[in-house]
Amino acid sequence: MPIAEPRWYGEPVPGDIVWCRFPQDSVPKPGPKPRPALVLSAGEHDDHPVVIVAYGTSQKTGDLRAGEFAILREDATAFAAAGLSYPTKFNLGRTFELDYNDVWFGVPPGAPQGQSPKLGILHPSLMRRAQAAYAARRRR
C-alpha cells in the first residue's frame, strides 16, 4: 500500500497563530494533540513551506517564566484576533522548525479561517509583550 503524500498548506506569515501537533520532549514526531502555536518565521525548503513555531498552552497562564507571554481574555481585541478559545501562553524558548503540512498542522475545530491551520494573529498591541519574552528567553 503506497504511503500518502502529506497535504501542504500555503505559507503562513510570522505572527500567525496556528493549530499544531507540537512535538513533545524535543522528539521530532507530532505530539498527541493539537495546540496553538505562534509562527515566528516562515520560509521554504525543497519548494515547500517550513515554519519555526513557538509552543502554546492554556495551562498555568498566570505563571509566566522567562521567555513566555500570555494572551488573556482581558486583552479583549487581541484575544479575539488570536482566535483562541482559552487564555494561552506562548513559550518563545520552546520552538521547533516544522514542515507546514498536515503531518504537523491541522484545521482547527470550526475552521475559522477555512481549510487552513490558522486560528488568528498576534495583535499589534501585544508586540512589546512578545518582544520582551523573546529577549528574556535569550538571557536564560
Side-chain angles (χ1 to χ4, degrees):
M1 182 186 252
I3 297 173
E5 288 291 316
R7 175 179 168 219
W8 294 87
Y9 297 106
E11 188 174 316
V13 296
D16 280 352
I17 297 172
V18 294
W19 201 231
C20 177
R21 285 183 282 284
F22 198 91
Q24 289 186 315
D25 304 320
S26 299
V27 177
K29 69 176 191 174
K33 70 174 191 169
R35 61 181 58 256
L38 175 63
V39 176
L40 301 178
S41 69
E44 283 191 4
H45 179 72
D46 291 334
D47 294 324
H48 292 295
V50 175
V51 295
I52 295 177
V53 291
Y55 179 82
T57 182
S58 60
Q59 302 298 307
K60 300 181 184 176
T61 57
D63 179 22
L64 297 178
R65 299 178 185 228
E68 297 178 342
F69 77 97
I71 302 176
L72 307 171
R73 290 189 196 284
E74 298 82 58
D75 295 317
T77 301
F79 185 80
L84 299 167
S85 298
Y86 302 99
T88 302
K89 70 178 178 180
F90 294 94
N91 183 339
L92 301 185
R94 188 170 174 197
T95 63
F96 241 98
E97 182 175 331
L98 303 171
D99 291 333
Y100 198 57
N101 62 30
D102 64 356
V103 172
W104 297 100
F105 299 88
V107 176
Q113 305 286 331
Q115 294 302 302
S116 162
K118 185 174 176 177
L119 287 163
I121 61 163
L122 180 64
H123 192 272
S125 66
L126 298 179
M127 286 306 293
R128 284 191 180 148
R129 198 181 293 177
Q131 289 168 336
Y134 185 78
R137 80 108 199 131
R138 293 174 56 190
R139 290 192 293 263
R140 280 163 75 169

